Amino acid sequence: MSSNTAAKRRAAFRAVKHIENGMIIGIGSGSTALQAIKMIGELLDSGELYDIMGVPTSTQTMFESIKVKIPLTTLDEHPQLDLGIDGADQIDSKLNAIKGGGGALFKEKIVAAACKEYILIADNTKIADTLGLDQALPVEIHPFALTPAMKAIEKLGSKATLRMTGGKLGPLVTDNGNYLIDADFGPIADPWWLEQQLHSIPGVIETGLFLGYANLAYIGGKGSVKRLKPSIDTVLKKNR
Ligand code: 5RP
């Protein structure tokens, strides 16, 4: 196992400890979330964990959850979730994050918003002083709006690239039938302002800015895990 995977596992392990019997959980997407899924499967298998259900945030997560026999449910049956665990592409000290590297940001954000407690898990390469530093921001766009929306996103100060897919020719199509733009803004001085601006563009379905959702993060490193809480001004902004 690579040291990076071991770091992801360490972070996932700490987050999975928050799951209690009877909980309805949001299940994130990506390679770090996958470590959590595997651990949940093992705990269910051993009987240590029982009576839980999960809402998956992507088709991949749905398949992986089914593989390890996590009972699945929907937000229609359970509009409020006890706990969500998800990875991130970049996390700042306020626990604001950029997500969507795996293209699952739309459902991931809906699930994040539905969680009473939301924990980010990542290895320590994901920590940044400022969001956007060497990290493009994924934005999900309705196909009909592609070119005008892309131009509008560039007008906000980014270099926007349509994400292409491997395995077939053409653009990547998300689980929701949309396109993804990776918008490189450089360091994002005011992510809350940018989030508002992006949402005012017709055709923008969702952005990878996850602001004020996480109340805890576990960051795996070499043989250790850092436990981070958001700073107070993030909590105040969330409640505004
Ligand atoms: C998918 C995501 C992932 O959580 C994010 O890309 C992190 O992935 P990984 O754990 O593989 O680094 O947002 O849309």
PDB file of all heavy atoms in Angstrom, residues 26-30 33-34 37 55-68 70 72 85-86 104 108 175:
ATOM      1  N   GLY A  26     -24.439   9.712   4.990  1.00  0.00           N
ATOM      2  CA  GLY A  26     -24.123  10.124   3.622  1.00  0.00           C
ATOM      3  C   GLY A  26     -22.778   9.516   3.262  1.00  0.00           C
ATOM      4  O   GLY A  26     -21.828   9.621   4.039  1.00  0.00           O
ATOM      5  N   ILE A  27     -22.722   8.870   2.101  1.00  0.00           N
ATOM      6  CA  ILE A  27     -21.475   8.178   1.725  1.00  0.00           C
ATOM      7  C   ILE A  27     -20.833   8.911   0.560  1.00  0.00           C
ATOM      8  O   ILE A  27     -21.382   8.979  -0.545  1.00  0.00           O
ATOM      9  CB  ILE A  27     -21.751   6.707   1.333  1.00  0.00           C
ATOM     10  CG1 ILE A  27     -22.692   6.032   2.342  1.00  0.00           C
ATOM     11  CG2 ILE A  27     -20.431   5.941   1.255  1.00  0.00           C
ATOM     12  CD1 ILE A  27     -23.108   4.626   1.941  1.00  0.00           C
ATOM     13  N   GLY A  28     -19.643   9.452   0.810  1.00  0.00           N
ATOM     14  CA  GLY A  28     -18.933  10.257  -0.183  1.00  0.00           C
ATOM     15  C   GLY A  28     -18.345   9.445  -1.316  1.00  0.00           C
ATOM     16  O   GLY A  28     -18.477   8.224  -1.374  1.00  0.00           O
ATOM     17  N   SER A  29     -17.675  10.158  -2.220  1.00  0.00           N
ATOM     18  CA  SER A  29     -17.100   9.535  -3.419  1.00  0.00           C
ATOM     19  C   SER A  29     -15.601   9.824  -3.501  1.00  0.00           C
ATOM     20  O   SER A  29     -15.117  10.823  -2.972  1.00  0.00           O
ATOM     21  CB  SER A  29     -17.795  10.083  -4.665  1.00  0.00           C
ATOM     22  OG  SER A  29     -19.162   9.745  -4.632  1.00  0.00           O
ATOM     23  N   GLY A  30     -14.907   8.951  -4.208  1.00  0.00           N
ATOM     24  CA  GLY A  30     -13.475   9.133  -4.401  1.00  0.00           C
ATOM     25  C   GLY A  30     -12.676   8.071  -3.662  1.00  0.00           C
ATOM     26  O   GLY A  30     -13.242   7.234  -2.948  1.00  0.00           O
ATOM     27  N   ALA A  33     -12.942   8.262   0.314  1.00  0.00           N
ATOM     28  CA  ALA A  33     -14.264   7.786   0.750  1.00  0.00           C
ATOM     29  C   ALA A  33     -14.358   6.264   0.576  1.00  0.00           C
ATOM     30  O   ALA A  33     -14.980   5.569   1.394  1.00  0.00           O
ATOM     31  CB  ALA A  33     -15.360   8.486  -0.043  1.00  0.00           C
ATOM     32  N   LEU A  34     -13.701   5.762  -0.472  1.00  0.00           N
ATOM     33  CA  LEU A  34     -13.726   4.308  -0.706  1.00  0.00           C
ATOM     34  C   LEU A  34     -13.109   3.547   0.473  1.00  0.00           C
ATOM     35  O   LEU A  34     -13.582   2.466   0.839  1.00  0.00           O
ATOM     36  CB  LEU A  34     -12.990   3.976  -2.016  1.00  0.00           C
ATOM     37  CG  LEU A  34     -12.902   2.496  -2.369  1.00  0.00           C
ATOM     38  CD1 LEU A  34     -14.295   1.872  -2.525  1.00  0.00           C
ATOM     39  CD2 LEU A  34     -12.111   2.309  -3.669  1.00  0.00           C
ATOM     40  N   ILE A  37     -15.757   3.337   2.985  1.00  0.00           N
ATOM     41  CA  ILE A  37     -16.787   2.361   2.585  1.00  0.00           C
ATOM     42  C   ILE A  37     -16.333   0.939   2.941  1.00  0.00           C
ATOM     43  O   ILE A  37     -17.094   0.141   3.500  1.00  0.00           O
ATOM     44  CB  ILE A  37     -17.068   2.481   1.062  1.00  0.00           C
ATOM     45  CG1 ILE A  37     -17.721   3.827   0.753  1.00  0.00           C
ATOM     46  CG2 ILE A  37     -17.940   1.318   0.570  1.00  0.00           C
ATOM     47  CD1 ILE A  37     -17.808   4.161  -0.738  1.00  0.00           C
ATOM     48  N   VAL A  55     -26.799   6.878   2.083  1.00  0.00           N
ATOM     49  CA  VAL A  55     -27.177   7.518   0.819  1.00  0.00           C
ATOM     50  C   VAL A  55     -25.891   7.741   0.019  1.00  0.00           C
ATOM     51  O   VAL A  55     -25.024   8.516   0.445  1.00  0.00           O
ATOM     52  CB  VAL A  55     -27.901   8.866   1.061  1.00  0.00           C
ATOM     53  CG1 VAL A  55     -28.191   9.569  -0.271  1.00  0.00           C
ATOM     54  CG2 VAL A  55     -29.189   8.653   1.838  1.00  0.00           C
ATOM     55  N   PRO A  56     -25.729   7.052  -1.120  1.00  0.00           N
ATOM     56  CA  PRO A  56     -24.491   7.198  -1.899  1.00  0.00           C
ATOM     57  C   PRO A  56     -24.497   8.481  -2.725  1.00  0.00           C
ATOM     58  O   PRO A  56     -25.543   8.927  -3.183  1.00  0.00           O
ATOM     59  CB  PRO A  56     -24.509   5.965  -2.814  1.00  0.00           C
ATOM     60  CG  PRO A  56     -25.947   5.605  -2.955  1.00  0.00           C
ATOM     61  CD  PRO A  56     -26.667   6.088  -1.721  1.00  0.00           C
ATOM     62  N   THR A  57     -23.296   9.053  -2.926  1.00  0.00           N
ATOM     63  CA  THR A  57     -23.204  10.339  -3.639  1.00  0.00           C
ATOM     64  C   THR A  57     -22.814  10.174  -5.109  1.00  0.00           C
ATOM     65  O   THR A  57     -22.653  11.177  -5.808  1.00  0.00           O
ATOM     66  CB  THR A  57     -22.178  11.248  -2.946  1.00  0.00           C
ATOM     67  OG1 THR A  57     -20.957  10.521  -2.799  1.00  0.00           O
ATOM     68  CG2 THR A  57     -22.660  11.724  -1.590  1.00  0.00           C
ATOM     69  N   SER A  58     -22.653   8.943  -5.561  1.00  0.00           N
ATOM     70  CA  SER A  58     -22.324   8.724  -6.973  1.00  0.00           C
ATOM     71  C   SER A  58     -22.647   7.284  -7.335  1.00  0.00           C
ATOM     72  O   SER A  58     -22.840   6.426  -6.455  1.00  0.00           O
ATOM     73  CB  SER A  58     -20.838   8.978  -7.243  1.00  0.00           C
ATOM     74  OG  SER A  58     -20.064   8.045  -6.514  1.00  0.00           O
ATOM     75  N   THR A  59     -22.665   7.023  -8.621  1.00  0.00           N
ATOM     76  CA  THR A  59     -22.906   5.652  -9.087  1.00  0.00           C
ATOM     77  C   THR A  59     -21.782   4.747  -8.592  1.00  0.00           C
ATOM     78  O   THR A  59     -22.017   3.623  -8.144  1.00  0.00           O
ATOM     79  CB  THR A  59     -22.965   5.633 -10.635  1.00  0.00           C
ATOM     80  OG1 THR A  59     -23.944   6.589 -11.040  1.00  0.00           O
ATOM     81  CG2 THR A  59     -23.335   4.266 -11.160  1.00  0.00           C
ATOM     82  N   GLN A  60     -20.540   5.259  -8.648  1.00  0.00           N
ATOM     83  CA  GLN A  60     -19.399   4.454  -8.201  1.00  0.00           C
ATOM     84  C   GLN A  60     -19.550   4.081  -6.730  1.00  0.00           C
ATOM     85  O   GLN A  60     -19.371   2.928  -6.342  1.00  0.00           O
ATOM     86  CB  GLN A  60     -18.085   5.233  -8.428  1.00  0.00           C
ATOM     87  CG  GLN A  60     -16.848   4.368  -8.272  1.00  0.00           C
ATOM     88  CD  GLN A  60     -15.890   4.888  -7.202  1.00  0.00           C
ATOM     89  OE1 GLN A  60     -16.229   5.775  -6.411  1.00  0.00           O
ATOM     90  NE2 GLN A  60     -14.704   4.338  -7.165  1.00  0.00           N
ATOM     91  N   THR A  61     -19.931   5.064  -5.928  1.00  0.00           N
ATOM     92  CA  THR A  61     -20.115   4.813  -4.489  1.00  0.00           C
ATOM     93  C   THR A  61     -21.280   3.853  -4.248  1.00  0.00           C
ATOM     94  O   THR A  61     -21.220   3.003  -3.357  1.00  0.00           O
ATOM     95  CB  THR A  61     -20.333   6.155  -3.761  1.00  0.00           C
ATOM     96  OG1 THR A  61     -19.084   6.839  -3.761  1.00  0.00           O
ATOM     97  CG2 THR A  61     -20.806   5.991  -2.334  1.00  0.00           C
ATOM     98  N   MET A  62     -22.315   3.978  -5.066  1.00  0.00           N
ATOM     99  CA  MET A  62     -23.448   3.050  -4.929  1.00  0.00           C
ATOM    100  C   MET A  62     -22.961   1.610  -5.163  1.00  0.00           C
ATOM    101  O   MET A  62     -23.222   0.711  -4.364  1.00  0.00           O
ATOM    102  CB  MET A  62     -24.537   3.419  -5.937  1.00  0.00           C
ATOM    103  CG  MET A  62     -25.756   2.535  -5.841  1.00  0.00           C
ATOM    104  SD  MET A  62     -26.934   2.890  -7.153  1.00  0.00           S
ATOM    105  CE  MET A  62     -26.130   2.206  -8.581  1.00  0.00           C
ATOM    106  N   PHE A  63     -22.187   1.412  -6.247  1.00  0.00           N
ATOM    107  CA  PHE A  63     -21.693   0.055  -6.549  1.00  0.00           C
ATOM    108  C   PHE A  63     -20.768  -0.460  -5.447  1.00  0.00           C
ATOM    109  O   PHE A  63     -20.856  -1.614  -5.037  1.00  0.00           O
ATOM    110  CB  PHE A  63     -20.968   0.025  -7.899  1.00  0.00           C
ATOM    111  CG  PHE A  63     -21.898   0.132  -9.087  1.00  0.00           C
ATOM    112  CD1 PHE A  63     -21.532   0.850 -10.219  1.00  0.00           C
ATOM    113  CD2 PHE A  63     -23.142  -0.486  -9.082  1.00  0.00           C
ATOM    114  CE1 PHE A  63     -22.392   0.953 -11.314  1.00  0.00           C
ATOM    115  CE2 PHE A  63     -24.009  -0.388 -10.172  1.00  0.00           C
ATOM    116  CZ  PHE A  63     -23.625   0.339 -11.285  1.00  0.00           C
ATOM    117  N   GLU A  64     -19.873   0.414  -4.970  1.00  0.00           N
ATOM    118  CA  GLU A  64     -18.925  -0.017  -3.930  1.00  0.00           C
ATOM    119  C   GLU A  64     -19.664  -0.339  -2.630  1.00  0.00           C
ATOM    120  O   GLU A  64     -19.294  -1.262  -1.914  1.00  0.00           O
ATOM    121  CB  GLU A  64     -17.869   1.075  -3.669  1.00  0.00           C
ATOM    122  CG  GLU A  64     -16.942   1.339  -4.838  1.00  0.00           C
ATOM    123  CD  GLU A  64     -16.031   0.151  -5.180  1.00  0.00           C
ATOM    124  OE1 GLU A  64     -15.866  -0.744  -4.332  1.00  0.00           O
ATOM    125  OE2 GLU A  64     -15.499   0.126  -6.306  1.00  0.00           O
ATOM    126  N   SER A  65     -20.717   0.428  -2.332  1.00  0.00           N
ATOM    127  CA  SER A  65     -21.488   0.191  -1.106  1.00  0.00           C
ATOM    128  C   SER A  65     -22.254  -1.125  -1.203  1.00  0.00           C
ATOM    129  O   SER A  65     -22.328  -1.890  -0.224  1.00  0.00           O
ATOM    130  CB  SER A  65     -22.466   1.342  -0.862  1.00  0.00           C
ATOM    131  OG  SER A  65     -21.774   2.552  -0.733  1.00  0.00           O
ATOM    132  N   ILE A  66     -22.801  -1.368  -2.383  1.00  0.00           N
ATOM    133  CA  ILE A  66     -23.531  -2.632  -2.593  1.00  0.00           C
ATOM    134  C   ILE A  66     -22.565  -3.809  -2.416  1.00  0.00           C
ATOM    135  O   ILE A  66     -22.892  -4.816  -1.791  1.00  0.00           O
ATOM    136  CB  ILE A  66     -24.196  -2.646  -3.993  1.00  0.00           C
ATOM    137  CG1 ILE A  66     -25.374  -1.659  -4.018  1.00  0.00           C
ATOM    138  CG2 ILE A  66     -24.663  -4.055  -4.368  1.00  0.00           C
ATOM    139  CD1 ILE A  66     -25.954  -1.401  -5.405  1.00  0.00           C
ATOM    140  N   LYS A  67     -21.344  -3.640  -2.965  1.00  0.00           N
ATOM    141  CA  LYS A  67     -20.331  -4.701  -2.899  1.00  0.00           C
ATOM    142  C   LYS A  67     -20.062  -5.122  -1.453  1.00  0.00           C
ATOM    143  O   LYS A  67     -19.872  -6.291  -1.163  1.00  0.00           O
ATOM    144  CB  LYS A  67     -19.040  -4.169  -3.532  1.00  0.00           C
ATOM    145  CG  LYS A  67     -18.276  -5.194  -4.347  1.00  0.00           C
ATOM    146  CD  LYS A  67     -16.913  -4.673  -4.736  1.00  0.00           C
ATOM    147  CE  LYS A  67     -16.907  -3.966  -6.058  1.00  0.00           C
ATOM    148  NZ  LYS A  67     -15.565  -3.412  -6.386  1.00  0.00           N
ATOM    149  N   VAL A  68     -20.024  -4.141  -0.533  1.00  0.00           N
ATOM    150  CA  VAL A  68     -19.716  -4.480   0.864  1.00  0.00           C
ATOM    151  C   VAL A  68     -20.982  -4.542   1.726  1.00  0.00           C
ATOM    152  O   VAL A  68     -20.926  -4.535   2.955  1.00  0.00           O
ATOM    153  CB  VAL A  68     -18.668  -3.518   1.478  1.00  0.00           C
ATOM    154  CG1 VAL A  68     -17.365  -3.575   0.706  1.00  0.00           C
ATOM    155  CG2 VAL A  68     -19.196  -2.082   1.553  1.00  0.00           C
ATOM    156  N   ILE A  70     -23.603  -2.487   2.307  1.00  0.00           N
ATOM    157  CA  ILE A  70     -24.166  -1.385   3.103  1.00  0.00           C
ATOM    158  C   ILE A  70     -25.592  -1.161   2.597  1.00  0.00           C
ATOM    159  O   ILE A  70     -25.787  -0.876   1.410  1.00  0.00           O
ATOM    160  CB  ILE A  70     -23.343  -0.082   2.932  1.00  0.00           C
ATOM    161  CG1 ILE A  70     -21.883  -0.294   3.342  1.00  0.00           C
ATOM    162  CG2 ILE A  70     -23.961   1.048   3.754  1.00  0.00           C
ATOM    163  CD1 ILE A  70     -20.971   0.900   3.055  1.00  0.00           C
ATOM    164  N   LEU A  72     -28.754   0.595   1.399  1.00  0.00           N
ATOM    165  CA  LEU A  72     -28.851   1.939   0.831  1.00  0.00           C
ATOM    166  C   LEU A  72     -30.254   2.508   0.960  1.00  0.00           C
ATOM    167  O   LEU A  72     -31.235   1.770   1.004  1.00  0.00           O
ATOM    168  CB  LEU A  72     -28.411   1.924  -0.632  1.00  0.00           C
ATOM    169  CG  LEU A  72     -26.958   1.517  -0.860  1.00  0.00           C
ATOM    170  CD1 LEU A  72     -26.622   1.515  -2.347  1.00  0.00           C
ATOM    171  CD2 LEU A  72     -25.999   2.421  -0.098  1.00  0.00           C
ATOM    172  N   ILE A  85     -19.654  11.419   5.446  1.00  0.00           N
ATOM    173  CA  ILE A  85     -18.192  11.295   5.391  1.00  0.00           C
ATOM    174  C   ILE A  85     -17.792  11.392   3.920  1.00  0.00           C
ATOM    175  O   ILE A  85     -18.301  10.648   3.079  1.00  0.00           O
ATOM    176  CB  ILE A  85     -17.722   9.939   5.967  1.00  0.00           C
ATOM    177  CG1 ILE A  85     -18.125   9.810   7.432  1.00  0.00           C
ATOM    178  CG2 ILE A  85     -16.207   9.789   5.805  1.00  0.00           C
ATOM    179  CD1 ILE A  85     -17.813   8.440   8.049  1.00  0.00           C
ATOM    180  N   ASP A  86     -16.896  12.327   3.608  1.00  0.00           N
ATOM    181  CA  ASP A  86     -16.520  12.500   2.203  1.00  0.00           C
ATOM    182  C   ASP A  86     -15.088  13.009   2.083  1.00  0.00           C
ATOM    183  O   ASP A  86     -14.556  13.604   3.025  1.00  0.00           O
ATOM    184  CB  ASP A  86     -17.485  13.497   1.522  1.00  0.00           C
ATOM    185  CG  ASP A  86     -17.570  13.276   0.013  1.00  0.00           C
ATOM    186  OD1 ASP A  86     -16.714  12.565  -0.546  1.00  0.00           O
ATOM    187  OD2 ASP A  86     -18.508  13.815  -0.606  1.00  0.00           O
ATOM    188  N   ALA A 104     -18.396  14.130  -8.864  1.00  0.00           N
ATOM    189  CA  ALA A 104     -19.631  13.784  -8.149  1.00  0.00           C
ATOM    190  C   ALA A 104     -20.173  14.932  -7.301  1.00  0.00           C
ATOM    191  O   ALA A 104     -21.019  14.736  -6.434  1.00  0.00           O
ATOM    192  CB  ALA A 104     -19.374  12.565  -7.263  1.00  0.00           C
ATOM    193  N   GLU A 108     -22.858  15.124  -4.036  1.00  0.00           N
ATOM    194  CA  GLU A 108     -22.062  15.285  -2.810  1.00  0.00           C
ATOM    195  C   GLU A 108     -22.515  16.516  -2.028  1.00  0.00           C
ATOM    196  O   GLU A 108     -22.600  16.490  -0.800  1.00  0.00           O
ATOM    197  CB  GLU A 108     -20.575  15.406  -3.147  1.00  0.00           C
ATOM    198  CG  GLU A 108     -19.945  14.082  -3.562  1.00  0.00           C
ATOM    199  CD  GLU A 108     -18.498  14.229  -3.978  1.00  0.00           C
ATOM    200  OE1 GLU A 108     -18.117  15.275  -4.537  1.00  0.00           O
ATOM    201  OE2 GLU A 108     -17.739  13.283  -3.759  1.00  0.00           O
ATOM    202  N   ASP A 175     -22.955  11.900 -13.616  1.00  0.00           N
ATOM    203  CA  ASP A 175     -24.053  10.984 -13.252  1.00  0.00           C
ATOM    204  C   ASP A 175     -25.412  11.626 -13.516  1.00  0.00           C
ATOM    205  O   ASP A 175     -26.428  10.945 -13.603  1.00  0.00           O
ATOM    206  CB  ASP A 175     -23.982  10.641 -11.752  1.00  0.00           C
ATOM    207  CG  ASP A 175     -22.873   9.640 -11.433  1.00  0.00           C
ATOM    208  OD1 ASP A 175     -22.190   9.174 -12.370  1.00  0.00           O
ATOM    209  OD2 ASP A 175     -22.690   9.336 -10.231  1.00  0.00           O
TER     210      ASP A 175
END
